[in-house]
Amino acid sequence: MQNHPEVDATKMGVGKSIAVLTSGGDAQGMNAAVRATVRVGIYTGAKVYFVHEGYQGLVDGGDNIRLATWESVSMMLQLGGTVIGSARCQDFRTKEGRSKAAYNLVKLGITNLCVIGGDGSLTGANEFRNEWSEHLAILVKAGKISVEEAKRSSHLHIVGMVGSIDNDFCGTDMTIGTDSALHRIMEVVDAITTTAQSHQRAFILEVMGRHCGYLALVTALACGADWVFIPEMPPDEGWEEHLCRRLAEQRGRGSRLNIIIVAEGALDRHGKPITCDMIKNLVSKRLGFDTRSTILGHVQRGGTPSAFDRILASRMGVEAVMALLEATPETPACVVSLSGNMAVRLPLMECVQVTKDVTKAMAEGRFQDAVKLRGRSFEHNLETYKLLAHVHLPDVKSNINIAILNVGAPCAGMNAAVRSSVRIGILQGHNMLVVHDGFEGLAQGLIEPVTWAGVAGWTGKGGSNLGTKRTLPAGMLEEISQTIAKFNIHALVIIGGFEAFLGGLQLVTGREKYEELCVPLVVVPATVSNNVPGSDFSIGADTALNTITMTCDRIKQSAAGTKRRVFIIETMGGYCGYLATMAGLASGADAAYIFEEPFGIHELEMNVQHLVEKMKTTVKRGLILRNEDCNANYTTDFIFKLYSEEGKGVFDCRMNVLGHMQQGGTPTPFDRNFGTKMGAKAVLWLTDKLKECYRHGRIFANTPDSACVLGMKRRSLVFQSLAELKDQTDFEHRIAKIQWWLRLRPILKILAKYKTNLDTSEKAAMEHVIKKRGAI
């Protein structure tokens, strides 16, 4: 990020015109990107045009290029596919076709183009930009445009957003539509799992990904599949024997089902396709298992976008408009993308080049290079999969005992973290113990050893199988130290929310008095509130966010036949406004009241007035979110009554308190995957830490860095000592003092049509991806 003097964002686009189009295959979340581009464009003072039917509409012109209004993108956030249409366009591949497109843009004074599509669509846009002056010269010569018009449109600026469910574009962690596709796949896997277990079946599932195995890989991680076939990692010679042996071993360990995930583009070492039927025949003949195969196909592209995709697309839309309006003739065409939780800008053609390099590396059999070029996110997923899948349980034991406990309120994804912690520990040769009922169970000795099969099928289960309590350890330190001595526990994995963080701190403080507490410990953040210091994300928050978003969709839909209605919805989160803010972005809320941004009667009055004005337009629905502890006096009931009174004769109100449904449900793909990676990383870190702390035949850990929180910070998973995080914590309100997502609040307000200031002083600098190639 670079700091620049702040400019008035509402004046940035005055006198400029932006066109937005979706091209190539559709992806869920494209509509959210279109909506954000239109609304932020209008907010900056620019004119924004829809281009219907992708590049075909750009070439055909006429009614295909229409002026967009604020209301014209209303109610499209939750729709799958692309409302403005997409088409494969042969005409745009010809110079003549591109000249027609240039003519249509010049006539409307459009010199900024925002393209949402895959690498083919973005490459086409860049070619169009490079030829722009040539097209202008041809059009002037033919007398179709004047010299003055050519001068006014002398430069074409292009920004891309990647919409592709395959996540096959290099340079971005996630492309628009990938998370939603994973949601569809996991729904099917969960449904198949129940029938497979009933009949002791083996299921083979083919998912999309002709050239990229991301969907297959993450699905395999998220459902604990026995095997995955992806283009980037063809199996070794003799894989047939290895696969059959592995499936037989799993059955031998008591598993009632086997799941094999196949990417549609999976190949063997000789470049021959590996198909579902091929695997089905192999397993049926060699093992005699009852085997079924399912090809998911276009189901993966369908349905409503997930909360993650809506927020990702909205953030990308904002960044795309800013990149267009800040572009100079010297700026290369760029693509806006996501890295960790940060929006970044990358040179378009560098990303396209690296994407092509992956294909080339795979064609030449350089598969390790291909994986590296895919980027860190893909690499980490593959490493975790390899750790957990192709295994032989060790013959040599380490004599180390590691205990795992869940603390705080239950949340989706906790079980996935427990499962991977247990299995990675067993693979390291450790004895793994599980503690029931949190710190209370630790004090009472509610501990039992757990085996590999003991955590089978846990990834898809919501809540906490171990049982969890909010009780803190401070009053039970003596009993806990006795339990640690009795069970000879050498390290602790504490999976939970703010209580897990506080409990960890209390155990560290108790080390002075109780020597038994001098064991390494790691806190893995897991709470719907997303309020654990030291981590931008907590396990469970994504599932809660999706629950809120889907509920908001249904509530808004319930008023489809009702004129002018406003819904007041209360979300969980304690004092942390993460859920309310992000759900506000994902569901298109008019306001989200949170503790971190104090509000009074003036703000409430302004919001009511804003809704009264809104009801005069064609948009007849309003949505207000309120975080449960945002204000002691302005309760949900108070806000409901205030809006009801002030809206009399204009709109009526309904109130909804979502409550504990936000903690329940099956975990989302993100939470399963995140929990799996966090659990694995925590135990590997403890294994190294135990070696450091081994003194004279025993474990002794009393340094600050032996008690850490494992968290996602910006772009990577990092360990931070509990002691270091103390200063960054507001203990009274159980939140971190600095929270990254607060900088997204202005976007929420701008998209709801408030006259607020978008801070442009912190700009995403253009980053480079080509350097990755040098490292290979």
Side-chain angles (χ1 to χ4, degrees):
M1 288 288 179
Q2 294 177 346
N3 279 321
H4 295 258
E6 202 172 316
V7 293
D8 182 359
T10 59
K11 304 278 192 297
M12 283 174 75
V14 175
K16 295 180 179 179
S17 292
I18 299 168
V20 57
L21 66 90
T22 53
S23 172
D26 64 309
Q28 309 97 314
M30 278 183 165
N31 291 322
V34 170
R35 172 181 175 268
T37 307
V38 168
R39 290 195 167 175
V40 176
I42 292 171
Y43 161 83
T44 63
K47 276 185 176 176
V48 188
Y49 291 84
F50 290 134
V51 179
H52 291 267
E53 310 309 331
Y55 283 124
Q56 194 64 55
L58 205 60
V59 173
D60 296 345
D63 207 27
N64 287 304
I65 306 175
R66 291 180 227 161
L67 197 62
T69 64
W70 194 273
E71 285 85 19
S72 63
V73 291
S74 180
M75 293 305 289
M76 70 193 281
L77 190 59
Q78 67 270 36
L79 301 176
T82 164
V83 169
I84 59 173
S86 179
R88 307 278 178 198
C89 177
Q90 289 306 318
D91 292 346
F92 196 76
R93 292 173 185 268
T94 68
K95 202 155 194 181
E96 192 188 346
R98 291 195 291 274
S99 258
K100 282 184 189 171
Y103 169 77
N104 291 328
L105 291 179
V106 171
K107 281 297 178 189
L108 290 166
I110 299 167
T111 54
N112 297 286
L113 192 58
C114 179
V115 180
I116 306 160
D119 61 342
S121 307
L122 301 184
T123 307
N126 189 64
E127 193 176 347
F128 188 40
R129 176 182 182 269
N130 290 341
E131 294 173 348
W132 185 251
S133 51
E134 213 179 313
H135 290 308
L136 292 183
I138 292 165
L139 292 168
V140 169
K141 196 175 175 185
K144 290 188 174 177
I145 62 170
S146 67
V147 175
E148 192 53 45
E149 282 175 319
K151 202 175 275 183
R152 274 204 304 270
S153 302
S154 58
H155 293 284
L156 178 70
H157 301 300
I158 285 198
V159 169
M161 286 183 258
V162 191
S164 160
I165 67 163
D166 293 343
N167 203 28
D168 55 355
F169 193 80
C170 293
T172 181
D173 286 355
M174 286 290 258
T175 55
I176 296 168
T178 306
D179 188 64
S180 302
L182 285 168
H183 274 253
R184 294 300 90 75
I185 296 168
M186 289 319 302
E187 283 162 18
V188 173
V189 171
D190 287 347
I192 278 174
T193 302
T194 54
T195 177
Q197 274 181 323
S198 305
H199 296 276
Q200 292 202 44
R201 277 184 179 146
F203 258 94
I204 302 148
L205 198 71
E206 185 191 284
V207 300
M208 279 186 170
R210 201 167 303 132
H211 307 296
C212 178
Y214 185 88
L215 286 180
L217 181 57
V218 175
T219 300
L221 266 180
C223 73
D226 296 294
W227 198 287
V228 67
F229 291 94
I230 58 171
E232 294 87 347
M233 188 186 70
D236 295 330
E237 297 287 350
W239 60 268
E240 294 90 345
E241 282 75 21
H242 188 177
L243 171 64
C244 291
R245 188 173 65 245
R246 177 155 172 68
L247 298 183
E249 277 173 11
Q250 286 296 90
R251 288 286 170 99
R253 288 182 193 142
S255 174
R256 289 182 61 83
L257 82 157
N258 300 106
I259 292 182
I260 299 160
I261 308 291
V262 188
E264 61 180 334
L267 303 165
D268 67 13
R269 291 269 160 189
H270 306 291
K272 287 194 186 122
I274 295 174
T275 65
C276 272
D277 284 345
M278 196 173 142
I279 301 162
K280 183 182 170 182
N281 292 334
L282 172 77
V283 175
S284 302
K285 281 180 185 160
R286 291 218 191 162
L287 297 172
F289 287 0
D290 187 0
T291 309
R292 297 284 188 276
S293 63
T294 303
I295 295 171
L296 285 190
H298 280 71
V299 166
Q300 295 156 88
R301 282 193 192 282
T304 185
S306 65
F308 182 94
D309 270 330
R310 298 182 199 194
I311 294 163
L312 168 69
S314 299
R315 290 180 67 188
M316 281 186 173
V318 175
E319 194 57 47
V321 172
M322 290 301 141
L324 280 172
L325 299 181
E326 287 161 8
T328 65
E330 289 72 47
T331 315
C334 83
V335 60
V336 295
S337 100
L338 183 79
S339 184
N341 64 21
M342 297 164 66
V344 294
R345 299 178 193 176
L346 305 164
L348 172 58
M349 289 322 289
E350 280 189 23
C351 295
V352 169
Q353 186 56 53
V354 178
T355 306
K356 284 178 178 167
D357 288 348
V358 174
T359 312
K360 189 171 176 231
M362 277 160 45
E364 291 172 2
R366 295 181 289 111
F367 296 107
Q368 276 182 313
D369 290 0
V371 168
K372 256 196 172 59
L373 286 161
R374 279 266 180 248
R376 273 194 315 182
S377 170
F378 190 93
E379 241 181 317
H380 289 168
N381 284 320
L382 189 55
E383 280 165 17
T384 310
Y385 167 74
K386 282 179 174 172
L387 276 173
L388 286 163
H390 299 266
V391 298
H392 292 292
L393 300 188
D395 302 322
V396 183
K397 291 283 188 194
S398 66
N399 293 325
I400 291 289
N401 301 318
I402 298 179
I404 304 166
L405 60 156
N406 292 165
V407 177
C411 69
M414 272 183 165
N415 294 323
V418 172
R419 172 186 171 273
S420 66
S421 301
V422 166
R423 291 196 165 176
I424 290 289
I426 289 170
L427 291 172
Q428 298 294 310
H430 309 323
N431 301 309
M432 301 306 289
L433 307 169
V434 288
V435 181
H436 296 280
D437 298 342
F439 288 119
E440 249 180 66
L442 191 59
Q444 293 164 13
L446 302 179
I447 296 174
E448 59 179 358
V450 63
T451 61
W452 184 274
V455 288
W458 278 33
T459 42
K461 290 184 179 167
S464 162
N465 285 359
L466 296 184
T468 177
K469 294 219 171 144
R470 292 177 180 272
T471 322
L472 290 168
M476 311 179 282
L477 288 179
E478 190 167 339
E479 292 89 337
I480 288 171
S481 61
Q482 285 167 0
T483 302
I484 288 174
K486 181 183 170 187
F487 287 87
N488 197 19
I489 294 168
H490 300 108
L492 290 171
V493 179
I494 306 168
I495 301 166
F498 201 82
E499 289 88 355
F501 174 73
L502 273 182
L505 275 171
Q506 290 177 3
L507 291 181
V508 170
T509 309
R511 282 173 172 179
E512 292 172 20
K513 192 172 176 187
Y514 301 101
E515 206 176 293
E516 294 85 352
L517 299 179
C518 293
V519 294
L521 65 92
V522 62
V523 173
V524 176
T527 165
V528 301
S529 304
N530 197 33
N531 63 339
V532 178
S535 190
D536 292 343
F537 297 105
S538 294
I539 297 164
D542 186 66
T543 305
L545 185 54
N546 273 284
T547 302
I548 298 166
T549 306
M550 299 311 159
T551 309
C552 288
D553 285 355
R554 285 172 186 171
I555 286 171
K556 279 163 77 179
Q557 195 182 40
S558 74
T562 314
K563 289 291 179 195
R564 303 192 176 92
R565 180 162 284 174
V566 173
F567 295 96
I568 318 286
I569 295 174
E570 183 189 292
T571 66
M572 273 185 169
Y575 285 99
C576 180
Y578 176 82
L579 284 181
T581 299
M582 293 310 226
L585 262 176
S587 57
D590 294 281
Y593 298 120
I594 62 167
F595 166 76
E596 293 91 342
E597 202 173 85
F599 61 96
I601 202 70
H602 171 67
E603 282 78 18
L604 289 167
E605 191 182 5
M606 193 175 73
N607 295 152
V608 172
Q609 197 48 46
H610 184 267
L611 277 172
V612 170
E613 290 304 311
K614 180 180 172 180
M615 296 299 170
K616 290 175 186 171
T617 70
T618 54
V619 185
K620 308 291 185 194
R621 268 164 281 183
L623 182 66
I624 304 291
L625 298 182
R626 179 190 173 275
N627 167 247
E628 59 184 350
D629 288 337
C630 64
N631 189 297
N633 297 313
Y634 298 132
T635 61
T636 305
D637 198 43
F638 174 89
I639 290 173
F640 166 65
K641 285 173 179 168
L642 174 76
Y643 274 77
S644 299
E645 179 61 33
E646 295 298 318
K648 265 185 188 164
V650 182
F651 57 80
D652 65 353
C653 287
R654 293 289 184 274
M655 182 176 85
N656 237 311
V657 177
L658 298 186
H660 280 72
M661 64 186 283
Q662 295 159 82
Q663 282 180 347
T666 55
T668 57
F670 179 90
D671 278 332
R672 297 180 198 208
N673 191 11
F674 191 43
T676 300
K677 282 196 279 200
M678 295 279 269
K681 204 167 176 73
V683 172
L684 291 173
W685 178 82
L686 282 175
T687 304
D688 289 341
K689 197 53 71 179
L690 284 161
K691 285 172 191 160
E692 278 176 39
C693 302
Y694 191 72
R695 301 267 187 288
H696 314 299
R698 57 191 281 258
I699 304 293
F700 186 77
N702 66 346
T703 54
D705 69 350
S706 64
C708 285
V709 169
L710 168 57
M712 165 75 87
K713 294 299 279 181
R714 282 180 171 246
R715 304 191 188 187
S716 44
L717 291 174
V718 291
F719 290 89
Q720 288 168 279
S721 78
L722 289 163
E724 186 188 311
L725 291 168
K726 255 166 108 170
D727 300 337
Q728 300 171 30
T729 308
D730 172 353
F731 284 96
E732 186 191 345
H733 299 107
R734 300 158 59 88
I735 51 175
K737 286 178 183 171
I738 296 169
Q739 303 190 80
W740 69 272
W741 50 266
L742 283 168
R743 67 172 184 264
L744 303 184
R745 295 275 302 170
I747 299 173
L748 173 68
K749 290 173 186 169
I750 288 163
L751 294 175
K753 210 175 182 177
Y754 280 93
K755 295 278 187 284
T756 188
N757 193 33
L758 183 64
D759 181 5
T760 56
S761 60
E762 200 181 55
K763 280 183 199 165
M766 189 78 89
E767 298 188 8
H768 293 276
V769 287
I770 288 288
K771 65 173 185 279
K772 290 180 186 174
R773 296 160 69 209
I776 287 174

